[in-house]
Each structure stands twice: as C-alpha cells, then as structure tokens.
Amino acid sequence: MGTLMTKEEQHLRFNNILKQSFVDPKEEIPEPPISISKGKNKLGEYIPIGTYGNFSFISAGPKSKKTFLVSLLASAYLGSYESLVGDLKGFKGDKKLIHYDTEQSRYHAQKTFKRVHRMTKDASDYYTYALRQFSPEDRLDFIDWHLAQTDNVGLVIIDGVADLLNDINDLEKSNKVIHYLMKWTQDYNIHIVTVIHSNFYNNKATGHLGSFLEKKTETQITVTPTEDDPNVVVVDCKRSRGYSFDTFSFEIKSGLPIVCKMPDNINQFLHS
C-alpha cells in the first residue's frame, strides 16, 4: 500500500487534478496536430493515421509483415521517397523518432533499423534501441526514464507493447501499461505507435491488454498478407476516432516495403 497522505497533502493533490482536468466549454481547443497522414479527404485536408498527444496500434498475426509496416511509417515520418511511401506523409519538423524493439535480437533489430536508414533521406533524428534482454518491468521503467531524459521527441515506436508486462491477461498490469501510454503522450505531446499480436481465430488484439488498447487508442491498424502473394500486404484502418484513412497495400521488394497497387480482391481484407 502507498504512503498515507495528510489531509493537506490530499487537498493539494486533488486541487492540482481539479485544475488540470477542468475543460471550459467556451475555450477554443485546437485539433491535435498530425504526426503521420495517409492521403487527403475531399476538402484537401490530410487524413491522420496518428496525431500528437495520442497513440495508435498495429495488430496482426505472426509473420504478417507488420514490422515492415513499422519501417514504412518510420521512414515516412522521417522523410522518405514518394516512390517508396506513396502518399504517406510525416509531419516531423525538427522532432526525433525513438524506436524501441522488445522482441528481436540485436542482430535482427539492427536489420529492421537499417531498413529505415535505407528508405530515408536523413535518419539523423532516428534513435533505436533493442530491449529484448531486459525484464518487462525494466523495459517499461527504462522507456519512462528515457523519454523524460530526451528532448524534442515527436514519434515513438514500441514494437511490441505486450513485452512491457509479464501477462497480457493481467488486468492490473495491462491497465498500468495503458496508463503509461496515455501519460507519455500527454506529458510529451508525442504520438506512439505500438505493435501487438492478434488472435488467429478472430483478428482481435490479444489479451486484456489488446482489449484496453482498442478502447483507448486513436487508430487501430490491421495488417494482412494476401493469399496470392504473401509479399503483398493489405493495411486497413479497423477503428479510428476521426476520419479513417483509406485501405492501402505494400509489397516487399529487395527487402524494402513499397506502397503498391491494391489487390483486386481487396474487399475480403476490409475491417475483418
């Protein structure tokens, strides 16, 4: 149990929450700026995949090429070639991109990070870390510490978020991870892209953690390889708090993900 607070300490704590949480209906609160977009709507406005101050997540099964989508989004944010990313667009400015990989060995994590360097005009603001050898508690605490130490962060990638806790069906620890995602995005005005596996039988993100992500996220993205060619992958916006981006596809060529023409049987991939 936590340390008991005096009445004065409680008053100060709740008075602080009162001030920070109050929303004046008359106040003009601007829409959060876009971090990554995909295409434009009929009014010529960019359609966000994610905005600053929010988080999104990619859910997909094993060997679904979801890490290639991560590379595609990272390179678009940093400033890639249109021939590779199509109308994916990053609104980076002078901000940094931090990429945490929790699943792969240093060798394979480096291969993923090097792919982004190959696709990007300037990767000097791309910072990469492999955390597989650490405990879930150390990974979570390290990210919390590292973000506090790093200035001017814009986009954060956590591949995969389930490795920040021991059991994705642990309600308390799942809530704790979600709390940190919401806290980080709020405190640092960043966008976080997380990656989590989906169930094979219903395409839902796994465990209580996946359920909480679906409730709290700005955008849920699914990744599905096509049956005709596993190197062609369909990316769909399953849920969004705003205007959903149009479904698109990419293919793997020479080890790089490249936005490509949509497959003819696209309807089977939409919001499945």
mmCIF file of all heavy atoms in Angstrom, residues 11-36:
data_model
loop_
_atom_site.group_PDB
_atom_site.id
_atom_site.type_symbol
_atom_site.label_atom_id
_atom_site.label_comp_id
_atom_site.label_asym_id
_atom_site.label_seq_id
_atom_site.Cartn_x
_atom_site.Cartn_y
_atom_site.Cartn_z
ATOM 1 N N HIS A 11 -5.529 17.512 -0.168
ATOM 2 C CA HIS A 11 -6.127 18.726 -0.719
ATOM 3 C C HIS A 11 -5.274 19.272 -1.867
ATOM 4 O O HIS A 11 -5.802 19.626 -2.934
ATOM 5 C CB HIS A 11 -6.271 19.784 0.372
ATOM 6 C CG HIS A 11 -6.789 21.096 -0.146
ATOM 7 N ND1 HIS A 11 -8.118 21.306 -0.482
ATOM 8 C CD2 HIS A 11 -6.138 22.269 -0.410
ATOM 9 C CE1 HIS A 11 -8.263 22.537 -0.921
ATOM 10 N NE2 HIS A 11 -7.082 23.144 -0.886
ATOM 11 N N LEU A 12 -3.961 19.327 -1.670
ATOM 12 C CA LEU A 12 -3.066 19.831 -2.714
ATOM 13 C C LEU A 12 -3.103 18.938 -3.948
ATOM 14 O O LEU A 12 -3.125 19.418 -5.083
ATOM 15 C CB LEU A 12 -1.638 19.928 -2.173
ATOM 16 C CG LEU A 12 -1.385 21.017 -1.130
ATOM 17 C CD1 LEU A 12 0.014 20.876 -0.544
ATOM 18 C CD2 LEU A 12 -1.570 22.402 -1.746
ATOM 19 N N ARG A 13 -3.114 17.615 -3.711
ATOM 20 C CA ARG A 13 -3.139 16.661 -4.829
ATOM 21 C C ARG A 13 -4.404 16.820 -5.660
ATOM 22 O O ARG A 13 -4.357 16.942 -6.887
ATOM 23 C CB ARG A 13 -3.030 15.235 -4.284
ATOM 24 C CG ARG A 13 -3.119 14.164 -5.356
ATOM 25 C CD ARG A 13 -3.282 12.794 -4.743
ATOM 26 N NE ARG A 13 -3.449 11.770 -5.764
ATOM 27 C CZ ARG A 13 -4.003 10.589 -5.554
ATOM 28 N NH1 ARG A 13 -4.434 10.270 -4.342
ATOM 29 N NH2 ARG A 13 -4.121 9.705 -6.526
ATOM 30 N N PHE A 14 -5.569 16.817 -4.994
ATOM 31 C CA PHE A 14 -6.835 16.872 -5.728
ATOM 32 C C PHE A 14 -7.097 18.258 -6.303
ATOM 33 O O PHE A 14 -7.745 18.388 -7.346
ATOM 34 C CB PHE A 14 -7.989 16.423 -4.837
ATOM 35 C CG PHE A 14 -7.930 14.966 -4.481
ATOM 36 C CD1 PHE A 14 -8.046 14.540 -3.167
ATOM 37 C CD2 PHE A 14 -7.736 14.008 -5.464
ATOM 38 C CE1 PHE A 14 -7.979 13.195 -2.837
ATOM 39 C CE2 PHE A 14 -7.664 12.660 -5.149
ATOM 40 C CZ PHE A 14 -7.791 12.251 -3.846
ATOM 41 N N ASN A 15 -6.575 19.284 -5.672
ATOM 42 C CA ASN A 15 -6.709 20.623 -6.229
ATOM 43 C C ASN A 15 -5.921 20.736 -7.532
ATOM 44 O O ASN A 15 -6.357 21.386 -8.483
ATOM 45 C CB ASN A 15 -6.218 21.663 -5.216
ATOM 46 C CG ASN A 15 -6.599 23.073 -5.625
ATOM 47 O OD1 ASN A 15 -7.765 23.367 -5.888
ATOM 48 N ND2 ASN A 15 -5.619 23.959 -5.676
ATOM 49 N N ASN A 16 -4.774 20.061 -7.568
ATOM 50 C CA ASN A 16 -3.965 20.040 -8.790
ATOM 51 C C ASN A 16 -4.693 19.293 -9.909
ATOM 52 O O ASN A 16 -4.713 19.735 -11.066
ATOM 53 C CB ASN A 16 -2.613 19.386 -8.514
ATOM 54 C CG ASN A 16 -1.685 19.443 -9.699
ATOM 55 O OD1 ASN A 16 -1.498 20.490 -10.307
ATOM 56 N ND2 ASN A 16 -1.074 18.315 -10.015
ATOM 57 N N ILE A 17 -5.316 18.137 -9.569
ATOM 58 C CA ILE A 17 -6.096 17.382 -10.559
ATOM 59 C C ILE A 17 -7.280 18.215 -11.031
ATOM 60 O O ILE A 17 -7.619 18.227 -12.237
ATOM 61 C CB ILE A 17 -6.577 16.044 -9.958
ATOM 62 C CG1 ILE A 17 -5.380 15.116 -9.704
ATOM 63 C CG2 ILE A 17 -7.582 15.361 -10.882
ATOM 64 C CD1 ILE A 17 -5.750 13.820 -9.001
ATOM 65 N N LEU A 18 -7.915 18.938 -10.113
ATOM 66 C CA LEU A 18 -9.051 19.792 -10.458
ATOM 67 C C LEU A 18 -8.665 20.815 -11.517
ATOM 68 O O LEU A 18 -9.372 20.998 -12.523
ATOM 69 C CB LEU A 18 -9.563 20.497 -9.194
ATOM 70 C CG LEU A 18 -10.741 21.465 -9.369
ATOM 71 C CD1 LEU A 18 -12.012 20.692 -9.675
ATOM 72 C CD2 LEU A 18 -10.912 22.322 -8.126
ATOM 73 N N LYS A 19 -7.521 21.462 -11.331
ATOM 74 C CA LYS A 19 -7.077 22.494 -12.274
ATOM 75 C C LYS A 19 -6.718 21.896 -13.635
ATOM 76 O O LYS A 19 -7.057 22.461 -14.673
ATOM 77 C CB LYS A 19 -5.868 23.237 -11.694
ATOM 78 C CG LYS A 19 -6.186 24.099 -10.485
ATOM 79 C CD LYS A 19 -4.914 24.747 -9.938
ATOM 80 C CE LYS A 19 -5.218 25.612 -8.724
ATOM 81 N NZ LYS A 19 -3.976 26.218 -8.155
ATOM 82 N N GLN A 20 -6.045 20.737 -13.621
ATOM 83 C CA GLN A 20 -5.571 20.147 -14.875
ATOM 84 C C GLN A 20 -6.685 19.480 -15.669
ATOM 85 O O GLN A 20 -6.606 19.364 -16.899
ATOM 86 C CB GLN A 20 -4.469 19.127 -14.583
ATOM 87 C CG GLN A 20 -3.193 19.741 -14.043
ATOM 88 C CD GLN A 20 -2.081 18.712 -13.951
ATOM 89 O OE1 GLN A 20 -1.826 17.943 -14.881
ATOM 90 N NE2 GLN A 20 -1.407 18.678 -12.811
ATOM 91 N N SER A 21 -7.737 19.037 -14.979
ATOM 92 C CA SER A 21 -8.780 18.273 -15.665
ATOM 93 C C SER A 21 -9.961 19.129 -16.137
ATOM 94 O O SER A 21 -10.739 18.686 -16.993
ATOM 95 C CB SER A 21 -9.311 17.170 -14.737
ATOM 96 O OG SER A 21 -9.916 17.736 -13.578
ATOM 97 N N PHE A 22 -10.101 20.330 -15.600
ATOM 98 C CA PHE A 22 -11.254 21.169 -15.956
ATOM 99 C C PHE A 22 -11.204 21.539 -17.432
ATOM 100 O O PHE A 22 -10.172 21.947 -17.966
ATOM 101 C CB PHE A 22 -11.276 22.438 -15.107
ATOM 102 C CG PHE A 22 -12.382 23.382 -15.483
ATOM 103 C CD1 PHE A 22 -13.714 23.071 -15.215
ATOM 104 C CD2 PHE A 22 -12.104 24.570 -16.145
ATOM 105 C CE1 PHE A 22 -14.736 23.932 -15.577
ATOM 106 C CE2 PHE A 22 -13.114 25.434 -16.514
ATOM 107 C CZ PHE A 22 -14.434 25.118 -16.222
ATOM 108 N N VAL A 23 -12.335 21.362 -18.108
ATOM 109 C CA VAL A 23 -12.467 21.728 -19.515
ATOM 110 C C VAL A 23 -13.560 22.779 -19.637
ATOM 111 O O VAL A 23 -14.721 22.521 -19.306
ATOM 112 C CB VAL A 23 -12.814 20.505 -20.394
ATOM 113 C CG1 VAL A 23 -12.997 20.932 -21.844
ATOM 114 C CG2 VAL A 23 -11.720 19.447 -20.281
ATOM 115 N N ASP A 24 -13.208 23.959 -20.096
ATOM 116 C CA ASP A 24 -14.146 25.055 -20.283
ATOM 117 C C ASP A 24 -14.811 24.903 -21.645
ATOM 118 O O ASP A 24 -14.124 24.945 -22.674
ATOM 119 C CB ASP A 24 -13.405 26.390 -20.191
ATOM 120 C CG ASP A 24 -14.339 27.585 -20.280
ATOM 121 O OD1 ASP A 24 -15.541 27.391 -20.565
ATOM 122 O OD2 ASP A 24 -13.862 28.716 -20.074
ATOM 123 N N PRO A 25 -16.137 24.699 -21.703
ATOM 124 C CA PRO A 25 -16.815 24.553 -22.996
ATOM 125 C C PRO A 25 -16.642 25.764 -23.919
ATOM 126 O O PRO A 25 -16.776 25.642 -25.141
ATOM 127 C CB PRO A 25 -18.288 24.377 -22.600
ATOM 128 C CG PRO A 25 -18.261 23.894 -21.197
ATOM 129 C CD PRO A 25 -17.063 24.551 -20.575
ATOM 130 N N LYS A 26 -16.346 26.924 -23.339
ATOM 131 C CA LYS A 26 -16.189 28.133 -24.152
ATOM 132 C C LYS A 26 -14.776 28.293 -24.714
ATOM 133 O O LYS A 26 -14.547 29.122 -25.587
ATOM 134 C CB LYS A 26 -16.546 29.362 -23.305
ATOM 135 C CG LYS A 26 -17.993 29.387 -22.826
ATOM 136 C CD LYS A 26 -18.254 30.608 -21.964
ATOM 137 C CE LYS A 26 -19.699 30.610 -21.453
ATOM 138 N NZ LYS A 26 -19.964 31.789 -20.574
ATOM 139 N N GLU A 27 -13.851 27.505 -24.173
ATOM 140 C CA GLU A 27 -12.460 27.620 -24.624
ATOM 141 C C GLU A 27 -12.305 27.015 -26.018
ATOM 142 O O GLU A 27 -12.869 25.955 -26.328
ATOM 143 C CB GLU A 27 -11.541 26.887 -23.644
ATOM 144 C CG GLU A 27 -10.071 26.930 -24.020
ATOM 145 C CD GLU A 27 -9.211 26.071 -23.114
ATOM 146 O OE1 GLU A 27 -9.769 25.475 -22.159
ATOM 147 O OE2 GLU A 27 -8.001 25.977 -23.362
ATOM 148 N N GLU A 28 -11.549 27.651 -26.872
ATOM 149 C CA GLU A 28 -11.264 27.115 -28.202
ATOM 150 C C GLU A 28 -10.022 26.227 -28.110
ATOM 151 O O GLU A 28 -8.904 26.712 -27.971
ATOM 152 C CB GLU A 28 -11.035 28.250 -29.199
ATOM 153 C CG GLU A 28 -12.295 29.033 -29.541
ATOM 154 C CD GLU A 28 -12.085 29.988 -30.700
ATOM 155 O OE1 GLU A 28 -11.049 29.846 -31.394
ATOM 156 O OE2 GLU A 28 -12.942 30.857 -30.903
ATOM 157 N N ILE A 29 -10.276 24.934 -28.171
ATOM 158 C CA ILE A 29 -9.177 23.973 -28.105
ATOM 159 C C ILE A 29 -8.890 23.484 -29.529
ATOM 160 O O ILE A 29 -9.758 22.871 -30.164
ATOM 161 C CB ILE A 29 -9.531 22.783 -27.200
ATOM 162 C CG1 ILE A 29 -9.859 23.280 -25.782
ATOM 163 C CG2 ILE A 29 -8.382 21.783 -27.157
ATOM 164 C CD1 ILE A 29 -10.299 22.194 -24.827
ATOM 165 N N PRO A 30 -7.714 23.730 -30.056
ATOM 166 C CA PRO A 30 -7.414 23.321 -31.437
ATOM 167 C C PRO A 30 -7.286 21.812 -31.564
ATOM 168 O O PRO A 30 -6.982 21.115 -30.589
ATOM 169 C CB PRO A 30 -6.076 24.011 -31.725
ATOM 170 C CG PRO A 30 -5.441 24.173 -30.373
ATOM 171 C CD PRO A 30 -6.579 24.414 -29.415
ATOM 172 N N GLU A 31 -7.559 21.313 -32.759
ATOM 173 C CA GLU A 31 -7.350 19.892 -33.016
ATOM 174 C C GLU A 31 -5.872 19.565 -32.854
ATOM 175 O O GLU A 31 -5.006 20.387 -33.174
ATOM 176 C CB GLU A 31 -7.800 19.534 -34.432
ATOM 177 C CG GLU A 31 -9.297 19.569 -34.635
ATOM 178 C CD GLU A 31 -9.682 19.048 -36.019
ATOM 179 O OE1 GLU A 31 -8.947 18.183 -36.537
ATOM 180 O OE2 GLU A 31 -10.692 19.499 -36.552
ATOM 181 N N PRO A 32 -5.559 18.350 -32.370
ATOM 182 C CA PRO A 32 -4.146 17.991 -32.229
ATOM 183 C C PRO A 32 -3.477 17.908 -33.597
ATOM 184 O O PRO A 32 -4.082 17.440 -34.566
ATOM 185 C CB PRO A 32 -4.202 16.616 -31.547
ATOM 186 C CG PRO A 32 -5.564 16.089 -31.834
ATOM 187 C CD PRO A 32 -6.456 17.281 -31.911
ATOM 188 N N PRO A 33 -2.245 18.377 -33.704
ATOM 189 C CA PRO A 33 -1.548 18.342 -34.997
ATOM 190 C C PRO A 33 -1.257 16.910 -35.437
ATOM 191 O O PRO A 33 -1.098 16.009 -34.620
ATOM 192 C CB PRO A 33 -0.259 19.120 -34.729
ATOM 193 C CG PRO A 33 -0.085 19.080 -33.254
ATOM 194 C CD PRO A 33 -1.444 19.017 -32.659
ATOM 195 N N ILE A 34 -1.183 16.717 -36.725
ATOM 196 C CA ILE A 34 -0.959 15.394 -37.311
ATOM 197 C C ILE A 34 0.517 15.016 -37.217
ATOM 198 O O ILE A 34 1.394 15.834 -37.466
ATOM 199 C CB ILE A 34 -1.410 15.370 -38.786
ATOM 200 C CG1 ILE A 34 -2.915 15.647 -38.878
ATOM 201 C CG2 ILE A 34 -1.073 14.039 -39.443
ATOM 202 C CD1 ILE A 34 -3.408 15.818 -40.308
ATOM 203 N N SER A 35 0.771 13.767 -36.867
ATOM 204 C CA SER A 35 2.144 13.256 -36.889
ATOM 205 C C SER A 35 2.419 12.480 -38.182
ATOM 206 O O SER A 35 3.462 12.667 -38.811
ATOM 207 C CB SER A 35 2.406 12.369 -35.675
ATOM 208 O OG SER A 35 1.515 11.265 -35.641
ATOM 209 N N ILE A 36 1.488 11.604 -38.569
ATOM 210 C CA ILE A 36 1.590 10.855 -39.829
ATOM 211 C C ILE A 36 0.216 10.841 -40.485
ATOM 212 O O ILE A 36 -0.804 10.652 -39.811
ATOM 213 C CB ILE A 36 2.045 9.393 -39.618
ATOM 214 C CG1 ILE A 36 3.332 9.329 -38.795
ATOM 215 C CG2 ILE A 36 2.266 8.683 -40.945
ATOM 216 C CD1 ILE A 36 3.769 7.918 -38.461
#
